[in-house]
Amino acid sequence: MPIRVLPEQVASAIAAGEVVERPASVVKELIENALDAGATRIEIRVEGGGHGLIEVADNGSGILAAEVPLAVARFATSKLDSVEDLEAIDTLGFRGEALASMGAVARLEIQTRAAAESVGARLEVEGGRTLVHEPVGAPAGTMVRVRDLFYNVPARRKFLKTEATERRWITEVVSRYALAYPQVQFQLHHESKLHMGTTGRGDPLEALTAVYGVEVARALLPIREEGAGPLRIRGFVSPPDVHRSNRRQLTFFVNGRWIHDPSLAAAVRQAYHGLLMVGRHPMAILQLELPAQDVDVNVHPTKAEVRFRDPGRVFAVLQRAVRATLLGQTTPPRVRYAPADRPAGDGEQGRIGLDWAAAASVRGVEPAGLHPAPGRPGAAAGGLPLLRVVGQVSASYVVAEGPDGIYLVDQHAAHERILFERLMHAHQTERIESQALLEPQTVEFPPAQASLLESQLEILQKLGFQLEHFGGRAFRVRAVPELLRDLSPEQALRSVVEDFEEDETPLAEELEARVAARVCKRAAVKAGQVLSLQEQERLLMDLEACAAPRTCPHGRPTMIHLPVEALERQFGRRG
């Protein structure tokens, strides 16, 4: 078949497929155009899951009547003048393809009036051909209707999902932009019914409530550390006890643009390492602001991907900001039937009948969070109240009294957390203690585990193991971490290899922490192990000194909290 130039109609349809993937793509492009136009109110109407109708109306600056035909021409835009402008793009749109793509694969109608003009214009485009261009009376702003999406590309239309699925994708797009622009009023109508709306009053919590509901919005934590230099980070993350089964609730905006970036998601996941249970994922709504010249947004036609000039720095600052926020929260897990959290004050102390300052002096320690664990001088406060040991239940849980109720502490999970932070601190300061064996011992593994172990030798050396590949599937052990001195060398080594799953693209620090967590799991006191009163007190004191005392390294809670209010309700003292 000879080479030939494609007809304009075919070329436009192919190009449209890059920009308009589904109805949600249309909504995204039109919302971005409205935001670039300075709109403070955006109303979206959808019928048939976007197959039948998508209408987006805004009160932005509008389009001059004489320029309306240019708005649907390919590569026509008001946002770029030269190639140099691509190096510092500060608008959401810039490619000049969105409206042209919609007009190529749908029946498009634009009605607009610029604020400086008294008469607006209406344009109708069908399959890339302009049918109507006429003056019309209209309010300032722009209204775009897209009907019968992909009516002329049946191969594309048949691959669209059900109406319910497409509605969900559209709702997700609108929700994300509503979160990023709380100063803009959004209204989304499905089949003429209001589905979601925000006030546009600029309060991020109002936008969070509209999207996630009151309970989740109250639980989310504002970012405490905003970044350094020209890179600034704002937004919210979920506490460890608010999580989801997938990663879809990780939302990132760069200079106001909603993007998908695996490295940013990895930074957030690393910040939660050891705080979430396996298989659970956090929620995050994060906005990164940096100079336009430090980010390349001209990567993909949908503008959903970007490249950073210094990706390592962006990763580090984001990870540090999220981690600092998580470690700064002070509320341990509560029993769920308890009333909403309420700060403990003098009234609570008097009702319990215990002077906590006096209790501290009796124990001979400083107030909570100020006793540094061995090997961690000057450790930061863990954010736990001072706890008085009451006893042990089922040889597994330590019962303690605090200024605001009762705490049940899982002794195994708590000891895991203590050992993990000591081991990681020793690793970071290169002061890991090892127990040398009188005679080296050889351990043999199945092929899959042997291959995995060989790839982890360097990490194991850093964590206190001294071992070497001894040919085939065998490894010779010469020393084990001091924490595992009570286990046989074979048990100690197998404990960090058994059932260990390797990530597709593991980060070195995360992998080291995961191996360290497995070491600590084997070394920690077990459920069913009886502890003396002194051992229970020592456990709680060491837990108070931890940086993240509320979860074990694997993300399980170390304690639950039963507030005084819940006790009073159970005993009928409070209605």
Side-chain angles (χ1 to χ4, degrees), residues 11-78:
S12 296
I14 292 173
E18 295 179 337
V19 178
V20 182
E21 299 175 321
R22 61 194 321 150
S25 305
V26 173
V27 174
K28 174 180 179 292
E29 296 290 345
L30 295 179
I31 287 177
E32 290 182 348
N33 281 348
L35 293 171
D36 281 340
T40 59
R41 186 178 70 253
I42 302 175
E43 188 171 1
I44 304 101
R45 296 183 180 275
V46 178
E47 294 180 6
H51 304 164
L53 170 69
I54 298 171
E55 177 183 302
V56 177
D58 67 68
N59 65 344
S61 59
I63 305 172
L64 294 173
E67 296 181 355
V68 173
L70 278 177
V72 296
R74 288 188 66 192
F75 309 123
T77 180
S78 61

Side-chain angles (χ1 to χ4, degrees), residues 451-493:
S451 176
L452 183 56
L453 179 58
E454 188 174 3
S455 68
Q456 296 175 2
L457 284 179
E458 183 178 354
I459 292 175
L460 292 172
Q461 299 278 6
K462 293 179 180 179
L463 295 177
F465 284 93
Q466 293 181 20
L467 70 160
E468 58 193 15
H469 192 203
F470 201 56
R473 296 178 289 153
F475 295 82
R476 176 161 287 187
V477 185
R478 300 184 181 277
V480 297
E482 180 68 20
L483 289 175
L484 300 180
R485 62 183 181 276
D486 295 330
L487 300 178
S488 70
E490 181 174 354
Q491 288 178 317
L493 190 55

Side-chain angles (χ1 to χ4, degrees), residues 202-217:
D203 185 351
L205 288 178
E206 285 189 356
L208 288 169
T209 300
V211 173
Y212 293 120
V214 175
E215 184 176 352
V216 172

Side-chain angles (χ1 to χ4, degrees), residues 336-365:
R336 279 304 174 191
Y337 63 75
D341 293 355
R342 182 162 60 89
D346 294 337
E348 283 84 350
Q349 293 184 14
R351 182 167 62 245
I352 294 173
L354 179 61
D355 184 339
W356 294 99
S361 63
V362 169
R363 279 174 64 179
V365 299

